[in-house]
Amino acid sequence: MNVNQQTPMASPYGQPQPGYGQPSYAPLGGGYPTPYAPYNGPASAYQHGAPPQGYSPYASFPSKAVAANPVSDLSSPVDLGPTRAPPTSAPPAVSSSQGYSQYSQGDIQNGPPPVAQPMQRPAVSQPYTPGAMNLSGPHPSYPQQYAAPPNMQQVTNQMTGMQIGPGPPPTPAGPGYAPPPISAAYSVAAPPSYTQGPPPVSAVPPQPPPHSEANAPQPYYGGPPPPQQTFPPSFSSAGPPSQAPGQHQSFPSGPPPVPQSTYTGPPPHTAQTSFPPPLSSQASSFPPTAPPSTAPPAQYPGPMPPPGPPSQPPFQSGPPPQTQLPPTSMAQANHLPPGPPGAMQQPPPQSGMQGGYPPQQNGAFGQVRGPQYPGQPSYGGPAPAPAPAAPSQKRLDPDSIPSPIQVIEDDKAKTSEPFTTGVRGQAPPLVTTNFQVKDQGNASPRFVRCTAYNMPCTADMARQSQVPMAAVIKPLATLPPDETPPYIVDHGEGGPIRCNRCKAYMCPYMQFIEGGRRFQCGFCSCVTDVPPHYFQHLDHTGKRVDCYDRPELSAGSYEFLATVDYCKNNKLPQPPAYIFLIDVSYNAVKSGMVNIVCQELKTLLDYLPRENPDADSEVRVGFITYNKVLHFYNVKSSLAQPQMLVVSDVADMFLPLLDGFLVNVSESRVVIESLLEQIPEMFADTRETETVFGPVIQAGLEALKAADCAGKLFVFHTSLPIAEAPGKLKNREDKKLVGTDKEKSLFQPQVGFYGSLAKECVAQGCCVDLFLFPNQYVDVATLGVVPVSTGGSIYKYTYFQAQADSERFLNDLRRDVQKPMGFDAVMRVRTSTGIRATDFFGSFYMSNTTDVELAGLDCDKTVTVEFRHDDKLSEETGALMQCAVLYTSCSGQRRLRVHNMAVNCCSQLADLYRNCETDTIINYFSKYAYRSVLTTPTKTVRDTLVNQCAQILACYRKNCASPSSAGQLILPECMKLLPVYLNCVLKSDMLLPGGDVSLDDRAYLRQLLSCMDVAESHLFFYPRLLPLVKLEGDSLPVAVRNSEERLSKGGVYLLETGLHLFLWVGANAQQELLLNIFGTPTFSQIDPNMTSLPILDNPFSQRLREIVESFRAQRSRYMKLMVVKQEDKAELIFKHFLVEDKSGSGGASYVDFLCHMHKEIRQLLS
């Protein structure tokens, strides 16, 4: 439901309102009729189906209340019990298979009330004061019965497996209800909850009657969302903020019955802490709850915590707005101007309605909800007569569940020393932490990160835990200036020393024996003679005397100079070449792209990659332009003017000139500059709209073959290649297939031509980088085949406009041309006995099962490798892996880069769960899922991910956690963020697209993610949101969680996603802040179209621009800045990245997904 739209009151006498769909309910064991049964009058106490005393009426995260005289000896159903049907979803009608849209039981409202000052949220690590339930006074609870009562068998089924505790005594207060004491407030009713009470009223707007237009599309209203800022206080781990590995925390997903003792301190610190601690009946820090109110129903019983300045009620009253933007964001904005003075009052209730309370909301923004889970209250129906008041229960407080920000900050706080890699199986600091690495025998985490640093000893244990065993390897990663790049080792004409049997390269894991004359391989245990020139004596510990003088014996990463034996055709390679292929069709010229590329290349050619910064680059360059035909240019240094040669026979591509096509920049500079001046003029008046694409890559490939060298093609392309030529494509974009089983075909190439072309390119060492400037569908899935298979990159600038987008494009192009590259590369991963590399993810080509072939490998590319057991591992020796990459440097030198990694092995599951890295696990899961969409429907992919994650956590709960109530969700300390990050993957645009996400965008993101490193994927799925309050010194402000409720109307925030930068400006932002950032005193004067911050002479402006520049420098793609004003239309795009909230495409909020995850875990355990 849209929060801007005011909720109409339920219609009197229980009649359904016109235009409202009534969701039907699945019968529980064949029990009750599908539409609501007529209301049969108030339930008598212990009529089946009526909730017992102490029932807490909120269903969004039901708590466990206890029956006074339970119906049987079984306890009440805990919130997320196994009896529920799988979640069903009703997102906008874009795709049919939108999974997980509603695990929510009741709606989450995203966004704070319009408060002028930032919200004060308690630190997640501070101890929770038990008992402080912010209930804002007692509120009446009314049973609402929508169905025939279930029979005893159903009730019993519903309650099996639950536990019970003492409940409050019956009171004469009303039919089957008593006000529960606050200490019992976290509980669920015993029989199935077909009944429902009103939401807690702490900031509810008056509800005008609905519009009565006949066909106006109306959301299925059931009442307003629970207002923000009235969550229960922050629950936090009762132990110290950073717990030792192996400890785990549990979170309330319906905690066990709480003893009603007056317990005010935090519980004693144990290995597992429960979230929240038992609630006590001494509420001290919040407004006390008043006795049951006798005020007329239109008033609010009990004192209200002010949500902000008293003059600003949280919502404005008034009729629902008629036109709404589509919900493409996480949720709709609810920032409205303050309402009239009487906004806190409600109109008198109509007879037969809930007195003084609007009906509760149904849980989807503006969408009719599908069937709910059996055993869950069905919302939005008529309400029976009022009953006496009872304090009501809140939904789960977002502050009580694991916070990514808290984990990130805790990791930063405990990382002060440099990370030394000498200790086997030691997990590195998180990717979000700045740290220095000292290489002492294992590869730096900048080169290799593992999902687990304790590998299971057996395949059975790995299967049981379901924790993936994988490594994310970034072979040519650039290191910060304070770290030493890998040393280059030259072993002379014989080449690198290797094991005779498995061919592993000399490394710290080789054991020298027989006085140093032989060595035993750490990978395969084979013994090999040491060549005479490499011999050295051993010291008293068995190490070579020169161990620390040789990088290959003491470091985790190093390079060998390769001999001619490691070169193609046994001859040393030529330096590589760069060829620029520019689309000069009508669209390309009109958008300004051709002109921008030609102007930029004049200066950019001075920055081609080189080994020695002082020498000229050895890379040669060539130029081709094309539309339906190809134009080659002779830019030989002896020519006065460049010459153009046209090849119109695109069906049989050939190179029309050998001499003068690939040239040295410094020799031919004058001719090249003349050419770049002429190209935009030559094609300024072109009328040719059709383009070719396959022959363009063939032309570049032929040029590299003729020159007998490796190289890179930079293709600047605008449209779907529909001209008659090899690789011609047709427009196959079909939104109707999205969400169906045929959707996968849209991500597969539509012709086989590009696959075989990619294979030829890889054989020649021809890497392709594609810069796309589309105005409509261009079939990225097919055009991307060659770039992805050759280790290249795709850059996409949809609706390119020279003025707005040239900065982003030019920065991407500069970085792409200048970055360190290896060419004609082959990578192989060797492992010690017991495990082997079985699967690879990334941008490469594989002609066999072991060799990863990369025509090009740059400093940003990663290859993710999955390992499987083929034998038992031993705890003593651990597991070893060695990644060796053979490549040609940009100066034409053949080299071997070697990265070694040793991890521990464990026979206890607890040790495995103590040493995992969630960010790397998510990187692996997302790549696995994004690749699976080529062969599997996206809904199946999402279900598989949820299932595997549930198995990981269920295995921990079963085998490692100390016994506790089934109502508690218990997570391993190092995996407590697995649910929130996994939810971000599940509702990403690739797996759960909104209606505004094009197929090309999804194909682009799929290919982009395939070679992201862990730091990039972390930011991609969980963006960084910084409040710009005080920018002092060099430190950054502490980030806040990605939820609309964390945004203050008076603040300004910077959101970084790795692909975009957003500057969100609150409508009430302080004048001083606006002057410092924008140079304008008022919100209305800010230009939302600005893409760069004005350069102002004040420290705040200077520091903010430094922060933006430093963020851009850390990322492989240039992030364009977008200014988003609160309540502007661009806010929908911004909110899409607030990933803890519900998404417009039907993705669950973090809170709801955690509940769903808990339910899945309990189903597995039962």
Side-chain angles (χ1 to χ4, degrees):
M1 139 164 189
N2 188 320
V3 196
N4 284 343
Q5 292 175 312
Q6 295 305 316
T7 315
M9 300 298 272
S11 54
Y13 318 119
Q15 298 306 317
Q17 294 186 4
Y20 285 15
Q22 300 282 10
S24 55
Y25 293 75
L28 197 74
Y32 50 91
T34 310
Y36 304 138
Y39 169 59
N40 302 322
S44 58
Y46 296 115
Q47 172 183 349
H48 301 167
Q53 273 90 336
Y55 171 66
S56 75
Y58 234 138
S60 61
F61 202 80
S63 51
K64 225 176 180 188
V66 201
N69 323 332
V71 185
S72 70
D73 332 349
L74 302 160
S75 78
S76 47
V78 184
D79 56 332
L80 296 171
T83 44
R84 286 190 184 157
T88 56
S89 57
V94 177
S95 65
S96 57
S97 74
Q98 312 267 12
Y100 319 133
S101 73
Q102 330 266 345
Y103 315 131
S104 55
Q105 302 91 353
D107 209 73
I108 296 174
Q109 172 197 328
N110 299 323
V115 179
Q117 73 268 22
M119 296 209 286
Q120 299 296 320
R121 84 182 176 91
V124 174
S125 62
Q126 74 185 25
Y128 160 62
T129 313
M133 296 301 297
N134 186 351
L135 294 171
S136 317
H139 312 307
S141 293
Y142 313 114
Q144 282 180 283
Q145 189 159 317
Y146 301 136
N151 57 36
M152 177 59 77
Q153 181 58 42
Q154 291 166 13
V155 174
T156 311
N157 292 350
Q158 183 81 348
M159 301 189 309
T160 44
M162 309 303 176
Q163 66 191 56
I164 200 155
T171 65
Y177 270 2
I182 297 185
S183 61
Y186 246 83
S187 30
V188 178
S193 341
Y194 304 129
T195 58
Q196 141 126 31
V201 180
S202 43
V204 186
Q207 305 299 322
H211 286 278
S212 56
E213 287 149 4
N215 298 320
Q218 301 228 18
Y220 176 67
Y221 291 110
Q228 236 53 48
Q229 274 208 327
T230 53
F231 287 121
S234 154
F235 299 117
S236 84
S237 133
S242 55
Q243 296 175 320
Q247 295 180 340
H248 43 261
Q249 303 165 328
S250 55
F251 306 97
S253 220
V258 183
Q260 304 185 11
S261 61
T262 315
Y263 176 59
T264 49
H269 178 54
T270 54
Q272 102 196 22
T273 45
S274 99
F275 280 56
L279 302 167
S280 101
S281 52
Q282 291 186 346
S284 54
S285 52
F286 289 87
T289 49
S293 169
T294 54
Q299 306 294 328
Y300 286 94
M304 287 221 356
S311 63
Q312 286 193 316
F315 300 100
Q316 179 187 15
S317 64
Q322 290 305 304
T323 54
Q324 283 296 331
L325 284 162
T328 55
S329 63
M330 287 298 179
Q332 305 284 355
N334 65 342
H335 310 295
L336 296 171
M344 302 304 276
Q345 302 287 323
Q346 292 197 44
Q350 299 162 348
S351 62
M353 259 182 55
Q354 292 182 346
Y357 299 95
Q360 186 148 340
Q361 185 177 338
N362 191 25
F365 283 108
Q367 296 146 18
V368 176
R369 193 132 90 151
Q372 285 169 312
Y373 315 125
Q376 185 189 348
S378 31
Y379 302 152
S392 68
Q393 175 57 45
K394 298 286 190 304
R395 51 162 293 113
L396 181 62
D397 176 9
D399 280 332
S400 69
I401 56 183
S403 158
I405 305 303
Q406 187 67 41
V407 171
I408 288 167
E409 291 303 316
D410 289 349
D411 190 71
K412 287 178 181 172
K414 73 181 186 203
T415 305
S416 50
E417 300 292 308
F419 176 72
T420 54
T421 68
V423 184
R424 185 178 84 189
Q426 181 186 11
L430 299 179
V431 285
T432 43
T433 301
N434 281 328
F435 59 99
Q436 190 186 0
V437 180
K438 292 196 169 158
D439 185 342
Q440 295 185 352
N442 273 322
S444 157
R446 305 193 201 290
F447 295 123
V448 183
R449 276 187 179 264
C450 299
T451 53
Y453 289 86
N454 278 345
M455 273 197 179
C457 279
T458 64
D460 286 346
M461 188 175 160
R463 260 197 303 278
Q464 188 183 355
S465 73
Q466 286 288 315
V467 175
M469 296 191 298
V472 180
I473 305 171
K474 194 175 183 182
L476 299 185
T478 43
L479 300 180
D482 58 352
E483 292 178 24
T484 318
Y487 290 102
I488 298 179
V489 178
D490 186 357
H491 277 176
E493 289 174 13
I497 313 293
R498 303 173 70 173
C499 165
N500 273 348
R501 183 199 285 161
C502 70
K503 300 293 185 235
Y505 294 90
M506 179 54 64
C507 68
Y509 316 137
M510 302 298 189
Q511 181 71 42
F512 287 87
I513 52 175
E514 297 177 22
R517 288 190 297 278
R518 307 172 85 190
F519 69 89
Q520 184 170 22
C521 174
F523 296 91
C524 69
S525 304
C526 172
V527 174
T528 303
D529 291 334
V530 174
H533 70 87
Y534 195 67
F535 173 79
Q536 186 52 272
H537 294 285
L538 309 184
D539 64 12
H540 63 287
T541 64
K543 280 189 167 175
R544 281 173 57 125
V545 180
D546 63 353
C547 173
Y548 293 104
D549 302 332
R550 289 189 174 273
E552 74 272 23
L553 300 180
S554 57
S557 301
Y558 43 86
E559 292 202 320
F560 290 118
L561 282 184
T563 57
V564 74
D565 303 337
Y566 291 85
C567 302
K568 218 178 257 177
N569 306 327
N570 286 358
K571 66 178 189 189
L572 292 171
Q574 302 279 337
Y578 280 6
I579 303 177
F580 298 91
L581 305 103
I582 306 165
D583 176 349
V584 289
S585 66
Y586 176 74
N587 282 343
V589 175
K590 191 181 74 169
S591 68
M593 181 271 282
V594 174
N595 194 32
I596 291 169
V597 171
C598 292
Q599 293 308 315
E600 179 62 26
L601 285 179
K602 289 181 197 170
T603 51
L604 191 53
L605 294 177
D606 291 332
Y607 297 97
L608 295 171
R610 65 205 70 203
E611 293 284 322
N612 179 353
D614 305 326
D616 280 344
S617 172
E618 309 220 15
V619 175
R620 292 169 294 163
V621 296
F623 302 89
I624 294 174
T625 57
Y626 67 92
N627 39 46
K628 266 182 16 180
V629 297
L630 275 74
H631 322 109
F632 293 78
Y633 296 94
N634 183 346
V635 283
K636 201 173 178 181
S637 55
S638 56
L639 294 174
Q641 280 290 324
Q643 293 174 345
M644 177 197 223
L645 294 93
V646 180
V647 176
S648 53
D649 181 9
V650 289
D652 185 16
M653 189 42 63
F654 64 97
L655 188 68
L657 74 164
L658 285 176
D659 192 25
F661 179 69
L662 290 179
V663 296
N664 189 296
V665 175
S666 51
E667 291 172 11
S668 296
R669 174 169 302 283
V670 180
V671 193
I672 291 172
E673 292 208 344
S674 169
L675 170 67
L676 294 172
E677 282 290 340
Q678 290 174 35
I679 287 175
E681 294 167 14
M682 272 193 289
F683 299 100
D685 301 322
T686 184
R687 282 277 161 275
E688 186 53 72
T689 55
E690 293 189 351
T691 57
V692 295
F693 186 71
V696 178
I697 294 173
Q698 285 175 324
L701 175 61
E702 291 301 323
L704 294 179
K705 280 182 180 171
D708 193 23
C709 67
K712 190 171 185 177
L713 311 183
F714 296 82
V715 184
F716 304 92
H717 188 77
T718 59
S719 56
L720 192 69
I722 55 171
E724 211 45 66
K728 172 186 172 180
L729 301 178
K730 62 179 191 290
N731 187 337
R732 57 169 179 168
E733 185 175 31
D734 186 356
K735 281 279 176 90
K736 290 199 286 292
L737 295 182
V738 173
T740 68
D741 286 357
K742 291 183 179 170
E743 181 182 25
K744 56 182 182 275
S745 65
L746 300 173
F747 299 112
Q748 297 161 355
Q750 59 170 290
V751 292
F753 169 81
Y754 292 101
S756 44
L757 179 57
K759 189 174 174 181
E760 284 182 60
C761 288
V762 171
Q764 183 55 40
C766 167
C767 172
V768 179
D769 278 359
L770 178 58
F771 293 81
L772 282 170
F773 305 85
N775 290 336
Q776 55 201 26
Y777 179 73
V778 290
D779 201 349
V780 174
T782 305
L783 296 188
V785 168
V786 178
V788 167
S789 306
T790 59
S793 308
I794 303 172
Y795 298 85
K796 185 163 170 283
Y797 311 91
T798 312
Y799 305 121
F800 178 79
Q801 291 174 318
Q803 193 179 355
D805 302 306
S806 59
E807 184 187 14
R808 176 172 152 234
F809 162 53
L810 290 177
N811 278 284
D812 283 344
L813 178 59
R814 284 167 198 152
R815 183 181 159 90
D816 198 51
V817 168
Q818 296 172 35
K819 65 184 169 188
M821 282 279 300
F823 297 91
D824 212 359
V826 182
M827 170 175 141
R828 183 175 280 195
V829 177
R830 293 178 174 83
T831 52
S832 54
T833 311
I835 55 167
R836 61 197 166 85
T838 56
D839 207 351
F840 300 86
F841 303 83
S843 288
F844 50 74
Y845 178 79
M846 291 186 78
S847 54
N848 56 38
T849 55
T850 53
D851 293 339
V852 175
E853 299 177 50
L854 301 123
L857 174 63
D858 62 50
C859 58
D860 298 321
K861 293 285 184 297
T862 63
V863 176
T864 301
V865 186
E866 186 183 4
F867 301 101
R868 292 268 165 88
H869 285 82
D870 51 15
D871 205 346
K872 278 188 178 166
L873 297 168
S874 90
E875 293 187 61
E876 291 75 52
T877 56
L880 311 177
M881 66 172 187
Q882 181 181 77
C883 163
V885 182
L886 177 67
Y887 71 98
T888 303
S889 74
C890 55
S891 59
Q893 200 175 46
R894 201 71 174 147
R895 293 189 186 162
L896 270 158
R897 171 147 321 184
V898 179
H899 298 296
N900 301 290
M901 176 62 88
V903 297
N904 285 333
C905 294
C906 58
S907 53
Q908 298 297 319
L909 282 165
D911 294 332
L912 165 65
Y913 283 102
R914 191 175 289 125
N915 223 359
C916 293
E917 196 184 48
T918 302
D919 290 322
T920 313
I921 291 173
I922 289 293
N923 180 285
Y924 165 81
F925 273 156
S926 60
K927 289 175 179 176
Y928 176 82
Y930 277 33
R931 186 180 68 183
S932 300
V933 297
L934 292 177
T935 54
T936 315
T938 48
K939 176 158 188 344
T940 312
V941 173
R942 291 198 307 268
D943 292 344
T944 306
L945 280 183
V946 171
N947 186 37
Q948 186 165 357
C949 181
Q951 285 185 313
I952 290 172
L953 299 175
C955 175
Y956 175 79
R957 173 75 188 253
K958 183 178 175 184
N959 299 289
C960 310
S962 40
S964 66
S965 149
Q968 288 182 316
L969 170 62
I970 298 181
L971 302 172
E973 176 62 22
C974 70
M975 278 193 196
K976 62 185 179 187
L977 298 181
L978 190 62
V980 61
Y981 290 160
L982 186 80
N983 188 34
C984 296
V985 175
L986 294 172
K987 61 187 188 180
S988 61
D989 285 338
M990 183 66 227
L991 297 181
L992 193 69
D996 53 346
V997 181
S998 71
L999 282 169
D1000 274 349
D1001 283 333
R1002 293 174 68 197
Y1004 167 69
L1005 291 174
R1006 197 184 78 75
Q1007 292 160 349
L1008 187 64
L1009 182 90
S1010 68
C1011 41
M1012 274 188 188
D1013 69 5
V1014 180
E1016 286 175 316
S1017 64
H1018 172 270
L1019 196 66
F1020 180 76
F1021 290 117
Y1022 195 91
R1024 171 158 60 163
L1025 183 62
L1026 295 184
L1028 302 178
V1029 191
K1030 295 191 175 100
L1031 299 182
E1032 292 162 355
D1034 291 336
S1035 61
L1036 289 171
V1038 175
V1040 295
R1041 290 168 65 170
N1042 278 335
S1043 171
E1044 193 181 341
E1045 68 190 44
R1046 309 286 170 179
L1047 300 176
S1048 151
K1049 227 178 174 178
V1052 177
Y1053 296 79
L1054 187 65
L1055 180 84
E1056 180 197 15
T1057 74
L1059 297 177
H1060 315 88
L1061 275 174
F1062 295 97
L1063 191 66
W1064 184 88
V1065 188
N1068 297 351
Q1070 299 152 14
Q1071 185 175 348
E1072 183 191 7
L1073 204 55
L1074 299 182
L1075 279 168
N1076 280 342
I1077 299 174
F1078 303 105
T1080 58
T1082 61
F1083 178 77
S1084 59
Q1085 289 176 320
I1086 299 168
D1087 175 13
N1089 298 317
M1090 68 170 70
T1091 54
S1092 57
L1093 294 169
I1095 297 169
L1096 304 174
D1097 189 15
N1098 67 67
F1100 193 98
S1101 169
Q1102 197 175 338
R1103 178 71 185 124
L1104 177 55
R1105 293 194 316 275
E1106 283 171 10
I1107 289 173
V1108 168
E1109 286 316 306
S1110 72
F1111 282 6
R1112 284 171 171 162
Q1114 291 166 23
R1115 307 295 160 213
S1116 60
R1117 312 254 164 162
Y1118 184 84
M1119 296 180 290
K1120 178 178 165 183
L1121 182 72
M1122 191 167 159
V1123 175
V1124 176
K1125 292 165 74 172
Q1126 187 177 0
E1127 296 175 21
D1128 204 7
K1129 60 181 185 294
E1131 203 180 26
L1132 285 178
I1133 303 168
F1134 170 78
K1135 285 183 189 170
H1136 182 68
F1137 297 101
L1138 299 178
V1139 291
E1140 287 197 21
D1141 297 338
K1142 233 176 225 174
S1143 74
S1145 54
S1149 69
Y1150 174 19
V1151 169
D1152 288 341
F1153 184 69
L1154 202 58
C1155 302
H1156 177 69
M1157 208 69 230
H1158 185 210
K1159 184 178 136 240
E1160 294 282 321
I1161 291 165
R1162 287 175 57 188
Q1163 277 179 344
L1164 288 171
L1165 292 176
S1166 62

